[in-house]
Amino acid sequence: MTESPPPPVGAERPTLKTIAAATGLAIATVSRALKDAPDIGEETKRRVRETALRLGYRQNRAAVRLRTGKTNVIALLLSTESDVMNHTSKLLYSIADALRGTAYHLVVMPFFRDQDPMDPVRYIVETESADGIILNQTKPDDPRIRYMTEHHIPFATHGRTDMGLDHPYFDYDNESYGRLAVQALAERNRRHVYMIAPPRNHMYARHMIMGASQEAAARGMRFELADDITSDSSADAIEIDIACRFASNPPDAIISGSTTGAIAAVAGAERNGLHIGQDFDIAAKEAIRLLHRFRKEMIVVQEDVARAGNFLARAVMAAIEGRAADQGQALEVPQATDFRTGN
């Protein structure tokens, strides 16, 4: 539920019975409305939630766990290397927004570069500290997904796998992104593409590299993959790499897998006196509209991370409650017309 104001000091703590009396509904109806039960009408849910908020009702989480064995917590596992400025902040907000007015609360658990990504998953499962898990940056053969499947933990992933396991996911078609980015650069008569791809052990990196490299080969363009950086590298590292690579015989096109990477890449090229739109072009994707405010010449496509977060939240709630999701898997596919400059 959305946070509500606490009752005045000394006042009796509001209960389901208090809400029922204020709304004229049965206690069972109030309880089911607060749980977002599908058999309760949206108008009734809205009235119950507004009354609960006005009265300062807060669910006793310890009592719920004792009674049902549930925590009403969904854990979002995020790498600290994610594009926090753009992609991750939008994903976090959209998941939290989808959980507003439901019985569930969101807990964010970060994991670090020097940490085994399995650690937070094992912790949640072993301590039973969440009812379900959402994670991103999936790998083709992801041990986290195998572990959750084996332990029957409800989950949904932002990204696909190549494991032969059927599970809820939302993904962006990065193969199409790579292919269409090369097409957009070719339309500007660019011939040598330098890609700042995601870490290569991630599934979406495989898709992005495949789409871009195959399209470049089909068009007779040179394709070069950055070796020492990824789109998850720091902005400083990306800027230095681009500045060094573009110092002599520079490529005339860049594809970035992240918003931060795109900004840093432009800064690196400009350190050598190169001008975007003249000496080189860059294609990038973003979740929050920012890049055209930085350089209007950039070729940008919007990734609908808000849709992804909403989908994942609803998919994992359905899995927790043992009901069929409206849609268990979804893929956002960019189109050529989505690639625009700010001119």
Side-chain angles (χ1 to χ4, degrees):
M1 285 182 58
T2 306
E3 285 298 320
S4 55
V9 176
E12 184 178 344
R13 187 183 185 94
T15 64
L16 295 177
K17 185 177 180 180
T18 313
I19 301 172
T23 58
L25 299 169
I27 294 175
T29 302
V30 169
S31 176
R32 292 186 61 74
L34 291 174
K35 293 176 182 176
D36 199 29
D39 59 328
I40 303 296
E42 289 302 321
E43 176 59 27
T44 300
K45 291 178 185 177
R46 183 192 61 77
R47 183 155 59 99
V48 169
R49 291 166 187 160
E50 289 178 354
T51 304
L53 184 63
R54 175 172 55 81
L55 295 175
Y57 172 79
R58 291 183 179 177
Q59 201 170 36
N60 187 322
R61 294 158 67 85
V64 170
R65 183 164 186 174
L66 285 172
R67 186 174 68 252
T68 66
K70 292 179 60 178
T71 64
N72 284 349
V73 169
I74 293 174
L76 173 62
L77 308 187
L78 288 176
S79 166
T80 56
E81 297 178 80
S82 297
D83 191 357
V84 175
M85 179 180 67
N86 197 279
H87 184 281
T88 303
S89 61
K90 190 71 171 180
L91 180 67
L92 177 58
Y93 172 82
S94 59
I95 293 172
D97 188 55
L99 297 180
R100 290 178 64 188
T102 75
Y104 296 97
H105 297 253
L106 182 66
V107 172
V108 179
M109 297 188 65
F111 61 90
F112 300 88
R113 177 180 298 195
D114 60 352
Q115 183 182 13
D116 182 353
M118 281 294 300
D119 287 348
V121 178
R122 290 195 190 97
Y123 175 84
I124 292 169
V125 173
E126 291 171 2
T127 62
E128 299 180 344
S129 52
D131 297 329
I133 296 173
I134 298 173
L135 54 81
N136 66 354
Q137 294 190 330
T138 53
K139 297 176 173 59
D141 187 1
D142 199 314
R144 301 172 299 172
I145 292 172
R146 195 174 304 280
Y147 180 85
M148 290 186 294
T149 301
E150 291 172 350
H151 287 78
H152 308 290
I153 304 300
F155 70 94
T157 64
H158 192 196
R160 288 167 285 173
T161 61
D162 192 19
M163 304 169 64
L165 294 176
D166 187 29
H167 61 82
Y169 70 75
F170 188 98
D171 201 8
Y172 182 82
D173 189 346
N174 281 284
E175 184 174 344
S176 291
Y177 166 71
R179 176 173 50 80
L180 293 171
V182 169
Q183 289 181 14
L185 292 164
E187 289 173 1
R188 288 158 177 77
N189 298 315
R190 301 308 182 184
R191 304 300 302 164
H192 181 178
V193 176
Y194 190 79
M195 172 174 271
I196 308 169
R200 298 187 201 183
N201 62 337
H202 293 165
M203 189 70 183
Y204 77 117
R206 175 188 291 187
H207 291 150
M208 192 182 298
I209 294 168
M210 180 186 303
S213 61
Q214 289 181 352
E215 184 66 24
R219 292 174 174 269
M221 300 167 66
R222 181 179 173 187
F223 179 80
E224 183 179 350
L225 191 61
D227 285 329
D228 299 326
I229 56 167
T230 72
S231 58
D232 277 1
S233 298
S234 69
D236 286 344
I238 294 172
E239 182 175 343
I240 291 170
D241 178 271
I242 294 294
C244 292
R245 177 62 192 84
F246 279 54
S248 62
N249 190 29
D252 58 8
I254 302 171
I255 297 176
S256 174
S258 72
T259 304
T260 300
I263 293 173
V266 172
E270 290 178 347
R271 282 170 58 173
N272 290 303
L274 302 177
H275 296 89
I276 187 170
Q278 299 177 23
D279 304 302
F280 72 98
D281 279 300
I282 181 167
K285 58 177 179 168
E286 63 181 2
I288 299 172
R289 297 186 186 278
L290 171 69
L291 291 175
H292 284 153
R293 292 182 172 90
F294 173 67
R295 294 290 184 275
K296 67 182 186 321
E297 298 86 358
M298 299 178 81
I299 304 167
V300 179
V301 63
Q302 191 82 9
E303 180 177 355
D304 193 351
V305 177
R307 177 186 167 201
N310 184 280
F311 182 97
L312 293 169
R314 297 190 180 282
V316 79
M317 283 191 288
I320 291 169
E321 295 163 9
R323 55 183 173 82
D326 294 336
Q327 190 178 5
Q329 299 170 341
L331 184 67
E332 180 186 353
V333 183
Q335 305 298 317
T337 52
D338 296 331
F339 287 71
R340 299 189 177 117
T341 64
N343 294 328

